[in-house]
Amino acid sequence: MRKPAKPARENISPSDLTFGLSTCKRCLWIKYWHKVVMPGSFPLVGTLSSLQERNFSGAHTRDIDPSLRPGRVNRLAEWVKSTPLVINGESTRWRILGKYDLVAENEDGTIALIDCKVSDSSRDSGAFYSPQLEAYAYALEKPAAGKAASVASIGLLIWKPRNVIRDASAYGFGVEQSYVPVSRNPQNFLDVIADFISVLEGPVPESGAECATCNYLIERLRLED
Ligand code: SF4
């Protein structure tokens, strides 16, 4: 596959540090060098996330979880872009660009970054999402424009669907809410992003034998021969 003179996009999406890295890296490489993105099918994700985010607008952090510093959620779903990523002391062409879910401004001047999930997956652990949340924290602490923030905490706010609620006039889903604090680990983020960038800067990776999508496409092509 041809490698162009420069990538089609140089802004790394934080979510690629979780789901993108859980399969082979070929699709990621194609996304960044050719801007060809595998179509996803997540029809309710956007609706559920914005309902969840709006529910916490203005909320006190202590009502979300007592472990959080006192503050209030006053920023929802904003884009953040970092300065160029520095790997092993060298500036790269790559930056972080993404839209976080919630930011609370704490009374001590720091901020809390909160990522919302509607999910019942056992994969919703701090370790799995740490690089993604650290990527947002990196962009907030090293913004391409505006004032740098000090991120005191990062964490997941999970709604796990549990039951159906019904009254005389409406139906709904009840959820079990939990807050999962994620330990700050900027060094792990730098290690993950260094590996990610070395994949992007290298030749196109081979596809993985275990990926259902590639195997489906191979079967389809075989049928059409
Ligand atoms: S195996 Fe194929 S579809 Fe799956 S991530 Fe790799 S290139 Fe993409």
Side-chain angles (χ1 to χ4, degrees):
M1 185 181 300
R2 186 179 63 86
K3 186 174 181 181
K6 83 190 270 295
R9 50 181 291 175
E10 294 176 343
N11 297 321
I12 295 176
S13 168
S15 59
D16 282 342
L17 303 180
T18 45
F19 301 106
L21 289 177
S22 57
T23 61
C24 87
K25 319 279 192 308
R26 189 176 175 90
C27 273
L28 280 179
W29 191 97
I30 293 169
K31 172 178 174 179
Y32 285 90
W33 284 93
H34 292 282
K35 219 173 183 175
V36 174
V37 182
M38 194 196 303
S41 180
F42 312 106
L44 279 177
V45 167
T47 306
L48 291 173
S49 335
S50 53
L51 284 171
Q52 196 182 22
E53 285 157 20
R54 272 185 274 141
N55 179 69
F56 291 103
S57 178
H60 199 282
T61 47
R62 291 289 170 88
D63 292 333
I64 293 174
D65 195 78
S67 70
L68 291 168
R69 295 186 190 187
R72 231 168 244 290
V73 174
N74 54 6
R75 290 157 63 181
L76 310 182
E78 290 179 3
W79 286 94
V80 280
K81 185 175 183 178
S82 74
T83 52
L85 286 150
V86 177
I87 303 298
N88 299 327
E90 294 210 5
S91 183
T92 69
R93 58 172 126 204
W94 306 96
R95 298 166 187 257
I96 297 295
L97 174 69
K99 189 158 75 162
Y100 61 72
D101 294 335
L102 306 177
V103 159
E105 290 187 2
N106 297 328
E107 289 169 9
D108 63 6
T110 62
I111 63 171
L113 173 70
I114 301 170
D115 198 47
C116 295
K117 308 270 172 229
V118 179
S119 168
D120 64 354
S121 170
S122 55
R123 198 176 48 184
D124 291 337
S125 69
F128 182 68
Y129 284 104
S130 170
Q132 181 181 346
L133 295 183
E134 284 292 348
Y136 287 117
Y138 185 95
L140 286 159
E141 292 181 331
K142 295 182 177 53
K147 191 165 160 253
S150 169
V151 181
S153 62
I154 57 180
L156 304 170
L157 184 54
I158 301 170
W159 278 3
K160 181 175 179 178
R162 192 184 51 188
N163 61 318
V164 171
I165 298 169
R166 189 176 84 179
D167 65 26
S169 60
Y171 288 88
F173 289 107
V175 299
E176 183 183 302
Q177 176 173 304
S178 59
Y179 176 78
V180 178
V182 179
S183 304
R184 289 292 321 260
N185 194 344
Q187 188 54 51
N188 179 54
F189 163 71
L190 290 174
D191 292 345
V192 170
I193 203 79
D195 181 45
F196 191 94
I197 288 173
S198 83
V199 168
L200 291 181
E201 292 290 1
V204 58
E206 293 299 321
S207 58
E210 301 300 317
C211 176
T213 309
C214 245
N215 289 337
Y216 166 76
L217 292 172
I218 290 165
E219 281 302 308
R220 276 290 305 269
L221 287 172
R222 192 175 295 145
L223 288 174
E224 288 169 17
D225 266 349

